[in-house]
Amino acid sequence: ATRQPDHHRRLDLGTRHLPRWPVTPATARRGLTKTHVLREDCERGSISLFLVVVVLALFAVFGLVVDGGARLDAQRRATDQAEQAARAAAQAINPTSLRDSDTVTLDPTAAQAAARKYLDADSGITLTGVHVSATTVTITVTSNVQPVVLSLVGLHTLTVTGTGTAQLLRGSTATAVTP
């Protein structure tokens, strides 16, 4: 009688080399070949790389939202302060031109002083330019914003600029209506 080979017994493999890829009961059951197992090994850790890329992208978006919002708010504030300083400067009319020629013009020195005085009350705004013509004053200011999130990647200051213009208008005289 021929004896059936015992599958649980170790066989002498002699000079036969064992495969370098892992042959486990799970891979044997699934019928995976060396190519399948090596391909799975090559993809090992790919989810970690994907996770790192996604986290960095979310961090960048978060930084742009937070610090971009702060920049837009500072831009709005700088423009508002420039417009208010231009209105204050437009109040500096030249009394001599009004008396001599009955025309209203701006006094450039007084207009610059009025704009500086208005902006001195706000320490975060710097006056960078004043242009005064006969009836128009244009004020340019700058402000710096310190980013919160983007400062972690080396962006420490954002500079915003605001411009405001005011025009000197002469009011009309109304005639009183008598009953």
Short mmCIF file of all heavy atoms in Angstrom, two decimals, residues 146-173:
data_model
loop_
_atom_site.label_atom_id
_atom_site.label_comp_id
_atom_site.label_asym_id
_atom_site.label_seq_id
_atom_site.Cartn_x
_atom_site.Cartn_y
_atom_site.Cartn_z
N GLN A 146 -0.46 91.70 11.53
CA GLN A 146 0.36 90.57 11.95
C GLN A 146 -0.47 89.30 11.76
O GLN A 146 -1.43 89.07 12.49
CB GLN A 146 0.78 90.71 13.42
CG GLN A 146 1.39 92.04 13.80
CD GLN A 146 2.51 92.49 12.90
OE1 GLN A 146 3.09 91.70 12.20
NE2 GLN A 146 2.80 93.76 12.87
N PRO A 147 -0.10 88.43 10.80
CA PRO A 147 -0.87 87.20 10.60
C PRO A 147 -0.71 86.24 11.78
O PRO A 147 0.34 86.19 12.42
CB PRO A 147 -0.29 86.59 9.33
CG PRO A 147 0.91 87.37 8.99
CD PRO A 147 0.97 88.58 9.84
N VAL A 148 -1.75 85.48 12.04
CA VAL A 148 -1.73 84.54 13.15
C VAL A 148 -1.24 83.17 12.69
O VAL A 148 -0.28 82.63 13.22
CB VAL A 148 -3.15 84.42 13.77
CG1 VAL A 148 -3.17 83.39 14.87
CG2 VAL A 148 -3.62 85.76 14.27
N VAL A 149 -1.88 82.63 11.67
CA VAL A 149 -1.56 81.28 11.21
C VAL A 149 -0.38 81.28 10.26
O VAL A 149 0.54 80.47 10.38
CB VAL A 149 -2.80 80.63 10.55
CG1 VAL A 149 -2.48 79.24 10.04
CG2 VAL A 149 -3.96 80.58 11.52
N LEU A 150 -0.37 82.19 9.30
CA LEU A 150 0.69 82.20 8.29
C LEU A 150 2.03 82.65 8.86
O LEU A 150 3.05 82.48 8.21
CB LEU A 150 0.27 83.08 7.11
CG LEU A 150 -0.94 82.56 6.33
CD1 LEU A 150 -1.28 83.50 5.18
CD2 LEU A 150 -0.69 81.17 5.80
N SER A 151 2.05 83.20 10.06
CA SER A 151 3.33 83.54 10.68
C SER A 151 4.11 82.28 11.03
O SER A 151 5.33 82.32 11.17
CB SER A 151 3.12 84.40 11.92
OG SER A 151 2.43 83.67 12.91
N LEU A 152 3.42 81.16 11.15
CA LEU A 152 4.10 79.89 11.42
C LEU A 152 4.94 79.41 10.24
O LEU A 152 5.84 78.60 10.42
CB LEU A 152 3.07 78.81 11.80
CG LEU A 152 2.26 79.10 13.05
CD1 LEU A 152 1.18 78.04 13.22
CD2 LEU A 152 3.14 79.17 14.27
N VAL A 153 4.64 79.90 9.04
CA VAL A 153 5.41 79.52 7.85
C VAL A 153 6.29 80.65 7.35
O VAL A 153 6.77 80.62 6.22
CB VAL A 153 4.48 79.01 6.72
CG1 VAL A 153 3.83 77.71 7.11
CG2 VAL A 153 3.47 80.05 6.32
N GLY A 154 6.49 81.68 8.19
CA GLY A 154 7.44 82.73 7.85
C GLY A 154 6.85 84.03 7.34
O GLY A 154 7.59 84.96 7.04
N LEU A 155 5.55 84.15 7.22
CA LEU A 155 4.93 85.40 6.77
C LEU A 155 4.55 86.19 8.01
O LEU A 155 3.57 85.89 8.68
CB LEU A 155 3.70 85.10 5.91
CG LEU A 155 3.06 86.27 5.21
CD1 LEU A 155 4.04 86.92 4.24
CD2 LEU A 155 1.82 85.83 4.46
N HIS A 156 5.36 87.21 8.35
CA HIS A 156 5.20 87.89 9.62
C HIS A 156 4.44 89.21 9.54
O HIS A 156 3.94 89.69 10.54
CB HIS A 156 6.56 88.12 10.28
CG HIS A 156 7.26 86.84 10.58
ND1 HIS A 156 6.82 85.95 11.53
CD2 HIS A 156 8.35 86.27 10.03
CE1 HIS A 156 7.62 84.90 11.57
NE2 HIS A 156 8.55 85.06 10.66
N THR A 157 4.39 89.86 8.37
CA THR A 157 3.71 91.15 8.26
C THR A 157 3.01 91.25 6.92
O THR A 157 3.58 90.92 5.88
CB THR A 157 4.73 92.30 8.38
OG1 THR A 157 5.40 92.17 9.63
CG2 THR A 157 4.03 93.65 8.34
N LEU A 158 1.77 91.71 6.95
CA LEU A 158 1.02 92.03 5.74
C LEU A 158 0.77 93.53 5.76
O LEU A 158 0.29 94.06 6.75
CB LEU A 158 -0.32 91.29 5.72
CG LEU A 158 -0.29 89.77 5.71
CD1 LEU A 158 -1.69 89.21 5.88
CD2 LEU A 158 0.33 89.27 4.43
N THR A 159 1.10 94.22 4.68
CA THR A 159 0.91 95.67 4.59
C THR A 159 -0.28 95.95 3.68
O THR A 159 -0.37 95.41 2.58
CB THR A 159 2.17 96.34 4.04
OG1 THR A 159 3.27 96.02 4.89
CG2 THR A 159 2.01 97.84 3.99
N VAL A 160 -1.18 96.79 4.18
CA VAL A 160 -2.35 97.19 3.39
C VAL A 160 -2.31 98.70 3.18
O VAL A 160 -1.73 99.44 3.98
CB VAL A 160 -3.67 96.77 4.07
CG1 VAL A 160 -3.79 95.28 4.15
CG2 VAL A 160 -3.80 97.39 5.44
N THR A 161 -2.91 99.14 2.10
CA THR A 161 -2.95 100.55 1.75
C THR A 161 -4.40 100.97 1.52
O THR A 161 -5.18 100.23 0.93
CB THR A 161 -2.14 100.80 0.46
OG1 THR A 161 -0.81 100.34 0.66
CG2 THR A 161 -2.10 102.27 0.10
N GLY A 162 -4.72 102.18 2.01
CA GLY A 162 -6.05 102.72 1.80
C GLY A 162 -5.96 104.13 1.24
O GLY A 162 -5.04 104.87 1.58
N THR A 163 -6.88 104.48 0.38
CA THR A 163 -6.90 105.80 -0.23
C THR A 163 -8.30 106.39 -0.09
O THR A 163 -9.30 105.70 -0.29
CB THR A 163 -6.52 105.72 -1.73
OG1 THR A 163 -5.24 105.12 -1.83
CG2 THR A 163 -6.47 107.09 -2.37
N GLY A 164 -8.33 107.68 0.24
CA GLY A 164 -9.61 108.38 0.35
C GLY A 164 -9.51 109.75 -0.31
O GLY A 164 -8.48 110.41 -0.24
N THR A 165 -10.56 110.15 -0.96
CA THR A 165 -10.61 111.44 -1.65
C THR A 165 -11.85 112.19 -1.20
O THR A 165 -12.93 111.62 -1.09
CB THR A 165 -10.64 111.23 -3.17
OG1 THR A 165 -9.48 110.50 -3.56
CG2 THR A 165 -10.65 112.56 -3.92
N ALA A 166 -11.67 113.50 -0.97
CA ALA A 166 -12.80 114.37 -0.65
C ALA A 166 -12.73 115.58 -1.56
O ALA A 166 -11.65 116.11 -1.84
CB ALA A 166 -12.76 114.80 0.81
N GLN A 167 -13.87 115.98 -2.04
CA GLN A 167 -13.92 117.12 -2.94
C GLN A 167 -14.68 118.25 -2.25
O GLN A 167 -15.72 118.04 -1.63
CB GLN A 167 -14.62 116.74 -4.24
CG GLN A 167 -14.56 117.82 -5.28
CD GLN A 167 -15.09 117.31 -6.61
OE1 GLN A 167 -15.61 116.23 -6.72
NE2 GLN A 167 -14.94 118.14 -7.63
N LEU A 168 -14.13 119.42 -2.38
CA LEU A 168 -14.73 120.61 -1.79
C LEU A 168 -15.87 121.07 -2.69
O LEU A 168 -15.70 121.33 -3.87
CB LEU A 168 -13.67 121.71 -1.65
CG LEU A 168 -14.07 122.97 -0.94
CD1 LEU A 168 -14.45 122.67 0.50
CD2 LEU A 168 -12.92 123.96 -0.97
N LEU A 169 -17.07 121.14 -2.12
CA LEU A 169 -18.24 121.58 -2.89
C LEU A 169 -18.80 122.84 -2.23
O LEU A 169 -18.78 122.99 -1.02
CB LEU A 169 -19.31 120.50 -2.91
CG LEU A 169 -18.95 119.19 -3.59
CD1 LEU A 169 -20.06 118.19 -3.43
CD2 LEU A 169 -18.63 119.42 -5.05
N ARG A 170 -19.26 123.70 -3.05
CA ARG A 170 -19.88 124.93 -2.54
C ARG A 170 -21.38 124.71 -2.52
O ARG A 170 -21.98 124.29 -3.49
CB ARG A 170 -19.51 126.09 -3.45
CG ARG A 170 -20.03 127.40 -2.93
CD ARG A 170 -19.61 128.50 -3.83
NE ARG A 170 -20.15 129.74 -3.32
CZ ARG A 170 -19.46 130.83 -3.19
NH1 ARG A 170 -18.20 130.84 -3.54
NH2 ARG A 170 -20.02 131.91 -2.72
N GLY A 171 -21.97 124.97 -1.38
CA GLY A 171 -23.40 124.78 -1.24
C GLY A 171 -24.18 125.90 -1.93
O GLY A 171 -23.66 126.97 -2.20
N SER A 172 -25.41 125.61 -2.22
CA SER A 172 -26.24 126.64 -2.85
C SER A 172 -27.02 127.37 -1.77
O SER A 172 -27.30 126.83 -0.71
CB SER A 172 -27.21 125.98 -3.85
OG SER A 172 -28.06 125.11 -3.16
N THR A 173 -27.35 128.59 -2.07
CA THR A 173 -28.16 129.36 -1.10
C THR A 173 -29.62 129.19 -1.46
O THR A 173 -30.02 129.30 -2.61
CB THR A 173 -27.75 130.84 -1.15
OG1 THR A 173 -27.91 131.31 -2.48
CG2 THR A 173 -26.31 131.04 -0.68
#
